Amino acid sequence: MATSITAAAAASLRSGYVLLAALAALLAVAAGGDPGKIGVCHGRVGGNLPAPEAAAALLRSNGITKARLFLPDQAVLPAFAAAGIDLTVGVPNENLTFLSAAGPEGALQWLRSNGLASGPVAGRLRYLAVGNEVLYNNQFYAPHLVPAMRNLHAALASLGLDGAVKVSSAHASSVLASSYPPSAGAFDAAQMDVLRPMLRLLADTGAPFMLNAYPFISHVGDPANVPLAYALGASDEPVVRDGALAYAGLFDATVDAVVAALEREGFGGVPVAVTETGWPTAGHPAATPENAAAYNGRMAERAARGAGTPRRPGAPVEVFLFDLYDEDGKTGAEFERHFGIFRADGVKAYNINFA
């Protein structure tokens, strides 16, 4: 068996991957996702959050026209849709057992009961994020995940919305069993019974693989191997070299590890969308307004110029920043309550430009 390929063959393969990635990016834009604009998550686990209309006006006044909601909040959806904000709506994990068993008709009932099947909200719906990090901490729901996704896609198709609304699921970066170097990226073998049919569905429907990526968390967990500058994406020199590719920031390295894992499974044309990333302003020595401004500002800037990654230089990465406001009701470490880009009064928590 041959153990090497010629340089010409390697170049041809890489050209093929770049072409697939560019095609995937074009398909994502055609489906309604615009990687050239930053999105913002709007978590609602807080006691002092402004009214949905004020949140929608704040987004629009800052040029932000994409938002991710973690559930189909009936107070937020119409306010955001009326403001012309494109919506990524989460399907709560606890709904997956019903959606898995109920078939397309049950999924259609779910869409209708949550106001997602017609009207202005349906017109602004771009993605359904079915379950959140199910394979990370909600294994009970894992067998129900792909059937629920299939049923929701079928329900959208029955409404003629499957071209405009893509169905996917958001994963923690721990879905990777290997991520270093990025070219060694591989999915956790224990999850492949769920991931393989999911990847097939994403490829067949033109939906992205959704990833929640937090370099801040990686730095906090292992500061010796994840230096602050690398987590911020602000290293003066590449920290990781992977063959001909170089990485000065963990964000690119994480996305490319997922890309490598997709290629390894034969799904190199599936785009990657980062549905959560962000940096907190308090609760840890590295959680400062200055660092949050550096990281989130860099994310907004790269979205605005349509930046790809070293492995997919021609494929912009769609990104949603977490979080619109601080959420004082969140549990866990203190920094979990300090990801807000804006204060409750609408003033920016730090200097950041979304243009």
Side-chain angles (χ1 to χ4, degrees):
M1 180 183 296
T3 57
S4 63
I5 59 175
T6 66
S12 177
L13 283 171
R14 179 161 295 282
S15 296
Y17 283 137
V18 170
L19 180 59
L20 282 171
L23 178 59
L26 288 172
L27 288 172
V29 172
D34 183 358
K37 292 183 178 179
I38 199 77
V40 173
C41 301
H42 183 26
R44 300 275 292 167
V45 187
N48 65 337
L49 298 176
E53 292 77 12
L58 179 64
L59 290 172
R60 287 309 306 247
S61 68
N62 282 276
I64 301 167
T65 57
K66 299 192 303 185
R68 179 188 177 194
L69 306 178
F70 293 91
L71 72 165
D73 190 309
Q74 295 305 296
V76 178
L77 285 171
F80 277 35
I85 295 171
D86 288 340
L87 299 165
T88 295
V89 178
V91 178
N93 293 348
E94 55 268 26
N95 290 172
L96 298 182
T97 49
F98 165 77
L99 289 166
S100 171
E105 283 300 318
L108 181 59
Q109 173 191 333
W110 186 91
L111 290 171
R112 285 174 172 157
S113 66
N114 284 287
L116 301 172
S118 61
V121 172
R124 285 290 169 185
L125 188 60
R126 295 295 176 260
Y127 298 116
L128 287 179
V130 184
N132 188 51
E133 301 187 353
V134 169
L135 301 182
Y136 170 61
N137 59 6
N138 287 280
Q139 283 293 319
F140 171 80
Y141 296 109
H144 306 284
L145 182 53
V146 175
M149 293 170 65
R150 287 184 179 132
N151 288 337
L152 284 164
H153 178 263
L156 289 167
S158 73
L159 296 168
L161 295 175
D162 54 314
V165 184
K166 299 304 177 185
V167 176
S168 189
S169 181
H171 300 279
S173 57
S174 59
V175 72
L176 294 170
S178 174
S179 61
Y180 181 86
S183 62
F187 292 120
D188 182 354
Q191 309 297 344
M192 291 313 299
D193 285 350
V194 175
L195 284 172
R196 282 196 184 95
M198 181 186 297
L199 296 178
R200 179 76 272 160
L201 178 64
L202 299 183
D204 289 345
T205 60
F209 185 93
M210 292 180 168
L211 176 70
N212 297 340
Y214 285 95
F216 169 80
I217 302 293
S218 297
H219 168 70
V220 169
D222 190 4
N225 290 309
V226 185
L228 179 61
Y230 184 57
L232 288 168
S235 297
D236 292 332
E237 297 291 336
V239 174
V240 173
R241 293 190 181 275
D242 187 5
L245 304 180
Y247 295 87
L250 182 56
F251 178 88
D252 276 353
T254 303
V255 172
D256 273 359
V258 172
V259 171
L262 290 168
E263 292 171 356
R264 194 176 304 278
E265 298 300 325
F267 294 98
V270 172
V272 177
V274 177
T275 39
E276 282 181 53
T277 194
W279 200 282
T281 57
H284 185 275
T288 66
E290 294 77 16
N291 286 343
Y295 181 81
N296 286 346
R298 188 168 286 107
M299 291 298 105
E301 183 273 332
R302 63 172 292 142
R305 62 184 170 87
T309 61
R311 198 172 182 92
R312 284 181 173 176
V317 180
E318 191 165 13
V319 176
F320 291 80
L321 290 177
F322 184 88
D323 195 3
L324 182 57
Y325 302 112
D326 284 350
E327 295 179 83
D328 60 11
K330 293 201 73 174
T331 58
E334 179 61 26
F335 62 73
E336 295 281 2
R337 293 176 279 282
H338 299 283
F339 276 88
I341 299 168
F342 296 92
R343 299 201 301 254
D345 61 4
V347 175
K348 290 177 181 176
Y350 43 83
N351 184 31
I352 184 171
N353 180 14
F354 298 103

